[in-house]
Amino acid sequence: MIRQMRTRVKRALASERIAWARRGSVRPDLVLYESFAGNGMLCNPEAIFRHLLADPEFAGLRHVWVLSDPAAIARFEAEFHDHPRVRFVHRGGGAYWQALSTAGYIINNATFPPAFGKRPGQIYLNTWHGTPLKLMGFDMPDGAYESANTLRNFLMADYLLAANPFMAETMYEDAYRLRNVFSGRIIEEGYPRVDHQAVTREHGAAVREELERGGIRLGDRRIVLYAPTWRGASFSDPTDDIDALVRQTDELQAALGEGVVVLLKTHQIVHARASSRPDLRRVLAPNVIPTNTLLGLSAALVTDYSSIFFDYLATGRPIAFLTPDADAYADGRGTYLPVDQLPGPLGERAEEVGAALRELLDGERMHPRYREWAERFVPFDDGGATGRVVDIVFRGRTEGRRVRPATSDGRRRLMMHLGGMRSNGITSSVLSLLGTIDHERYDVTAFMPLYKSGRARANQVRIHPAVRQVFRIDGMNGSKGMLLARRAIDWQRAMPPSSSPRWHERLWTDEWHRIFGQAEFDWVADFSGYSPFWANLLLRSPKAPRAIWLHNQMAEDRERTVAGRRSMHRSLGRVFGLYRDFDQLISVSPRLTELNRGQLESYAPREAFVTVRNLPDAARVLGGAAQPLLSVLEPGEETPDWLTELQRSDRDERWFVATGRLSPEKNHARLLRAFREVHQRSPRTRLLIIGGGPLRDDLQRLIAELGLEKAAFLAGARDNPFALMAAADCFVLSSVYEGQPMVVIEAALLDLPIVSTAFASATDALPTHTIHVVDQQDAALRDGMLAFLDGRVPPCHLQVQEYTGEVLAEFDAIASS
């Protein structure tokens, strides 16, 4: 408890610091630089910084470096301690947020923290840190989730720097899905850091001396740099084997002989672990020395899949590739270019790679693919890249420069908020829609929180791979008092943009831009439709048609009572108050559209109410139904008696099944009461209720009270309910009200007979009208189940292709308007 309170206090103080910093005016004369989360004055930002500092035209600029590494701070102090225009700030501190929030120019080679949102008047240049060989962004495993903050930073940027056209297209536009939505500019003028590979004699001598002072014995020997990339599934949790790196370094040294010194240059995220090893001081290159300076000093380079070798192509010197895990790496992470086509000798053993490299060092010949790769990947690295980038960003000179917008393929840009992604009908519906709509016609963005729970994450992974995923990370920027005032206002009443106070509107628009930057969409929709927060946020999108889904009889949902509380009364009331600012209110069946239009017409014009029916994921339903029944069990779960009975091949029991959340509107209590009478007349009947929810304990008690412990069972929520449904004989729905229940569509896909109570939209829950609909009384539901036992309820069926075509036409009509 104390630890949690400390965490909360720490977050609150951080929030106040950021809010205070954002009150300051943006200063056009201030430039902030950050490399690798403060690891040092490194990479492209360092090259740009030194160019600006030396240019008399920019003598009025002041410069702030973000640093976190003690060695980097010591090196900075040694060089710039007395400089009147250069200072540093500790990453994450108050001074950091003050500088980041007020600098007119902000330059990063990676990402700013999730809490950062670019302010009007700031110019953001993201240089990134290399041409990719290994898969990036959405192309890598779980890439959408892993890349959440990177994509957010890119969308905020005014300029993205690409070393070459391959990087611009493959990484920015394709891997990070910036095509169509990025509104900044992409610069293709080479990499400033590569300019620093032209090391002067004096500078080279100084760096060699620094390496000697650090414990590396160079003498007059040539340097070969060994620079492997990081290993692991997550950038935040690398799994590099430091002992293996040491062994490979020593083996390379032995193969190359006494005339060279092999230095180990680890990836930025691995360096902290490597530098803690005293035995590595003899070979480990200090992180504070810019990598490209080391490349400029090196007679050859050994790497694996690191982008560092692209930079080194500009030197014309030999490169070798040590890839002991090529097959495993290709399977786990993957590369954009074939590893066996790299521009240098390739091998799995350090000894053979070292021997091949020694031949290149001792001779004058170049690897046969080297020139081709250099022409493709370093075509603009002629020593003047820094000046050209400064021309574009600081002087605004684009004439004759390679700077362009992101490409557009003409698809209509749709953005949809998906909601909480719980395992329910709404989630099933949106995942099916995202997997079925025409991705050659639509460029689709899915927007959601950064999920932590297992079920929500499992559902997020199911999103169609063509869909761009944007996550809301962290929270609104504002003082605690301002955020509390915002919540108080939003709690009392709906506050659409048209009537919002200026400070209130600024909080919402700042939050939109913190997440989406300057991205633009042609149609914006809240598929969830239940949260005033998300509905409010979507109303702050740049002007576009806006839609919100109505999955149920919303007026009835607002009055739903659980444990004596109408938990959605106030929140749905605030959502209703926002309806007038949406262009389309989408119900999921024609009858439901009529009901919502009639009950909610005081909140929005009648013509705004439209229909798009739900789509099933037929492949998932049928595939799940084909799985063995035991596959529905959780890991370690014992097989319950009801499942043993259900899976018997010789059983003669008739099983009714119901699937849905255990909440009041589903009225499972009525189902249990009706089933008791069915069971009394036909003891060989069983009832299985699949789902979780707040009424589970109440329903379990009711089962006991009705004496149904051996005939009615609560199966709980299951990732694959379809195997259980397919094993049953009849599907039963006992709801008081519904939209267009996904479970009914799924039951029809499984050719199950369906008995349902007559909720208002039951008549068009299926296009074939084959549901056996009964009145909303216990006796009527009992008679419906008895009718099935008597053979009077035929199976339902869904013509999937025909139905899907009809629903997609409905969607096209509203998404294209």
Side-chain angles (χ1 to χ4, degrees):
M1 180 66 73
I2 294 175
R3 189 174 182 180
Q4 288 179 341
M5 289 196 61
R6 285 176 177 167
T7 301
R8 289 176 183 170
V9 169
K10 187 176 180 180
R11 287 178 180 169
L13 290 174
S15 179
E16 290 296 321
R17 277 200 302 265
I18 296 170
W20 179 261
R22 290 175 66 87
R23 293 176 185 173
S25 299
V26 173
R27 295 177 50 187
D29 65 336
L30 186 63
V31 188
L32 178 135
Y33 310 86
E34 183 174 318
S35 290
F36 301 112
N39 273 4
M41 292 172 47
L42 304 168
C43 195
N44 294 304
E46 187 239 3
I48 295 169
F49 159 70
R50 293 191 182 278
H51 183 99
L52 291 172
L53 193 64
D55 191 331
E57 182 182 343
F58 297 105
L61 291 179
R62 296 184 174 275
H63 308 270
V64 178
W65 266 97
V66 177
L67 300 173
S68 57
D69 180 73
I73 293 172
R75 198 170 197 266
F76 176 91
E77 291 283 12
E79 185 173 1
F80 294 108
H81 177 69
D82 295 324
H83 201 292
R85 295 191 290 121
V86 182
R87 62 187 176 92
F88 85 93
V89 292
H90 289 276
R91 193 175 196 267
Y96 169 73
W97 285 107
Q98 184 70 35
L100 180 56
S101 300
T102 58
Y105 296 89
I106 52 177
I107 303 175
N108 203 325
N109 79 337
T111 60
F112 290 115
F116 170 69
K118 187 171 77 76
R119 298 174 65 197
Q122 290 187 304
I123 295 175
Y124 179 8
L125 166 64
N126 192 296
T127 72
W128 203 240
H129 47 269
T131 300
L133 174 63
K134 53 185 177 286
L135 300 187
M136 302 288 290
F138 285 62
D139 295 338
M140 62 185 185
D142 202 17
Y145 194 84
E146 290 290 331
S147 304
N149 192 43
T150 303
L151 176 57
R152 194 188 69 86
N153 270 260
F154 287 169
L155 290 172
M156 278 193 294
D158 297 279
Y159 297 100
L160 296 173
L161 181 57
N164 48 63
F166 171 84
M167 179 181 176
E169 297 162 14
T170 302
M171 192 183 93
Y172 288 134
E173 293 183 325
D174 294 339
Y176 285 98
R177 308 291 175 84
L178 296 183
R179 193 183 311 277
N180 297 324
V181 297
F182 178 62
S183 62
R185 295 293 180 268
I186 299 175
I187 302 172
E188 299 174 2
E189 285 288 0
Y191 249 16
R193 70 184 190 186
V194 176
D195 292 352
H196 282 210
Q197 289 174 187
V199 180
T200 65
R201 184 183 299 274
E202 294 76 16
H203 186 206
V207 174
R208 290 178 71 94
E209 185 179 339
E210 184 176 357
L211 291 169
E212 291 270 7
R213 289 198 305 270
I216 298 173
R217 297 180 180 179
L218 293 177
D220 58 357
R221 293 179 294 174
R222 293 180 295 175
I223 294 172
V224 170
L225 195 66
Y226 176 38
T229 191
W230 62 282
R231 297 295 194 278
S234 172
F235 191 78
S236 60
D237 186 25
T239 58
D240 294 67
D241 185 343
I242 303 299
D243 289 331
L245 293 179
V246 175
R247 184 174 62 255
Q248 289 160 356
T249 303
D250 289 343
E251 290 170 353
L252 284 170
Q253 180 67 71
L256 288 164
E258 293 297 322
V260 303
V261 174
V262 178
L263 298 189
L264 173 63
K265 173 61 181 173
T266 56
H267 192 279
Q268 295 291 326
I269 61 170
V270 181
H271 184 80
R273 288 174 53 204
S275 61
S276 66
R277 294 273 298 266
D279 58 319
L280 282 181
R281 288 190 64 189
R282 60 186 176 82
V283 295
L284 185 63
N287 203 43
V288 294
I289 300 177
T291 300
N292 291 82
T293 299
L294 291 172
L295 291 176
L297 286 177
S298 299
L301 171 69
V302 180
T303 186
D304 46 13
Y305 319 100
S306 172
S307 65
I308 196 173
F309 85 86
F310 288 105
D311 288 12
Y312 200 68
L313 288 168
T315 67
R317 301 171 198 157
I319 307 171
F321 297 88
L322 175 56
T323 57
D325 56 351
D327 291 340
Y329 196 89
D331 292 340
R333 177 68 182 264
T335 59
Y336 287 114
L337 301 161
V339 173
D340 61 0
Q341 295 298 307
L342 292 170
L346 174 78
E348 296 183 358
R349 294 171 50 247
E351 297 94 325
E352 62 175 315
V353 171
L357 182 60
R358 185 170 184 171
E359 288 186 20
L360 291 177
L361 278 170
D362 292 344
E364 295 184 359
R365 67 183 180 88
M366 183 179 286
H367 189 276
R369 284 187 290 272
Y370 199 105
R371 191 179 304 281
E372 174 193 344
W373 279 65
E375 290 173 353
R376 182 179 181 188
F377 295 109
V378 287
F380 315 130
D381 287 300
D382 53 6
T386 310
R388 294 190 294 269
V389 171
V390 167
D391 259 1
I392 294 166
V393 177
F394 289 85
R395 295 189 178 98
R397 297 176 185 167
T398 58
E399 187 72 27
R401 298 300 185 209
R402 288 173 284 262
V403 55
R404 63 173 178 84
T407 57
S408 172
D409 56 24
R411 288 181 294 164
R412 187 165 175 81
R413 300 166 298 179
L414 313 183
M415 193 280 278
M416 301 174 68
H417 168 243
L418 306 190
M421 294 292 279
R422 298 182 181 92
S423 294
N424 57 26
I426 293 176
T427 297
S428 296
S429 178
V430 74
L431 289 174
S432 299
L433 178 61
L434 292 176
T436 309
I437 59 177
D438 185 356
H439 291 284
E440 293 187 2
R441 178 176 181 179
Y442 299 116
D443 178 309
V444 185
T445 298
F447 175 41
M448 65 209 97
L450 191 71
Y451 303 115
K452 301 293 177 65
S453 73
R455 289 194 183 276
R457 279 281 283 132
N459 288 325
Q460 174 257 322
V461 171
R462 289 171 51 205
I463 294 172
H464 192 279
V467 175
R468 180 187 300 105
Q469 298 180 42
V470 175
F471 297 89
R472 181 175 183 257
I473 319 169
D474 218 88
M476 276 186 171
N477 283 318
S479 68
K480 215 63 178 170
M482 188 175 287
L483 294 176
L484 288 171
R486 192 272 302 169
R487 290 192 186 105
I489 287 178
D490 292 340
W491 179 253
Q492 292 168 9
R493 62 190 185 279
M495 188 65 71
S498 55
S499 59
S500 182
R502 186 175 178 181
W503 66 267
H504 182 268
E505 184 63 16
R506 188 172 66 248
L507 279 175
W508 283 110
T509 54
D510 282 356
E511 180 65 0
W512 173 272
H513 291 301
R514 187 183 71 84
I515 299 165
F516 288 103
Q518 300 302 316
E520 295 182 354
F521 303 99
D522 301 310
W523 184 78
V524 174
D526 182 2
F527 194 91
S528 172
Y530 280 89
S531 166
F533 178 88
W534 296 99
N536 251 316
L537 183 56
L538 265 60
L539 288 175
R540 272 65 186 190
S541 68
K543 189 58 181 173
R546 300 183 182 108
I548 186 168
W549 253 257
L550 284 61
H551 291 280
N552 231 318
Q553 281 183 256
M554 301 305 291
E556 299 287 340
D557 248 3
R558 187 185 180 195
E559 302 304 320
R560 185 199 308 174
T561 302
V562 180
R565 292 182 61 248
R566 293 183 300 171
S567 59
M568 293 196 293
H569 183 80
R570 185 181 291 272
S571 61
L572 273 182
R574 284 146 57 205
V575 173
F576 293 174
L578 298 171
Y579 279 171
R580 194 167 298 277
D581 284 74
F582 283 91
D583 302 284
Q584 299 157 333
L585 309 179
I586 303 172
S587 297
V588 293
S589 77
R591 176 59 181 150
L592 189 63
T593 298
E594 294 175 12
L595 292 166
N596 282 326
R597 181 186 290 126
Q599 294 172 346
L600 301 171
E601 62 181 346
S602 62
Y603 294 100
R606 294 179 62 82
E607 61 271 17
F609 292 86
V610 295
T611 303
V612 176
R613 288 172 290 170
N614 286 325
L615 275 175
D617 184 344
R620 183 168 183 265
V621 173
L622 298 175
Q627 294 299 309
L629 279 177
L630 290 179
S631 68
V632 306
L633 296 175
E634 298 290 335
E637 180 184 2
E638 293 186 6
T639 304
D641 292 341
W642 59 260
L643 184 57
T644 300
E645 186 176 350
L646 179 63
Q647 70 174 346
R648 282 204 339 259
S649 59
D650 61 343
R651 66 174 173 85
D652 61 355
E653 300 86 2
R654 307 299 298 279
W655 282 75
F656 294 95
V657 64
T659 304
R661 181 168 168 76
L662 307 184
S663 54
E665 76 282 5
K666 305 298 183 183
N667 208 337
H668 290 106
R670 172 167 57 202
L671 175 58
L672 287 166
R673 293 191 301 269
F675 175 72
R676 178 181 61 173
E677 297 189 41
V678 172
H679 186 63
Q680 287 172 344
R681 299 188 189 189
S682 181
R684 303 303 294 173
T685 52
R686 302 289 184 267
L687 172 63
L688 183 66
I689 300 175
I690 307 168
L695 298 185
R696 181 182 177 89
D697 292 343
D698 292 345
L699 293 173
Q700 195 65 62
R701 281 192 294 271
L702 182 59
I703 288 172
E705 291 170 10
L706 296 174
L708 295 173
E709 295 99 325
K710 294 185 179 181
F713 312 99
L714 301 181
R718 298 288 168 175
D719 290 334
N720 175 22
F722 311 115
L724 298 174
M725 291 170 64
D729 302 292
C730 179
F731 185 85
V732 188
L733 194 66
S734 56
S735 297
V736 178
Y737 62 90
E738 285 278 1
Q740 186 196 22
M742 283 295 296
V743 290
V744 167
I745 302 174
E746 291 161 352
L749 279 171
L750 297 174
D751 295 329
L752 284 171
I754 301 174
V755 176
S756 174
T757 49
F759 53 88
S761 57
T763 54
D764 56 10
L766 286 178
T768 53
H769 308 292
T770 53
I771 301 172
H772 188 80
V773 180
V774 300
D775 290 339
Q776 294 244 4
Q777 287 91 34
D778 293 9
L781 186 58
R782 173 205 64 202
D783 291 345
M785 289 190 281
L786 289 173
F788 161 73
L789 294 176
D790 292 341
R792 291 183 285 118
V793 181
C796 293
H797 184 68
L798 184 68
Q799 296 290 341
V800 177
Q801 289 186 339
E802 179 181 340
Y803 176 75
T804 298
E806 293 172 359
V807 175
L808 289 180
E810 294 169 357
F811 179 81
D812 290 342
I814 62 104
S816 300
S817 62

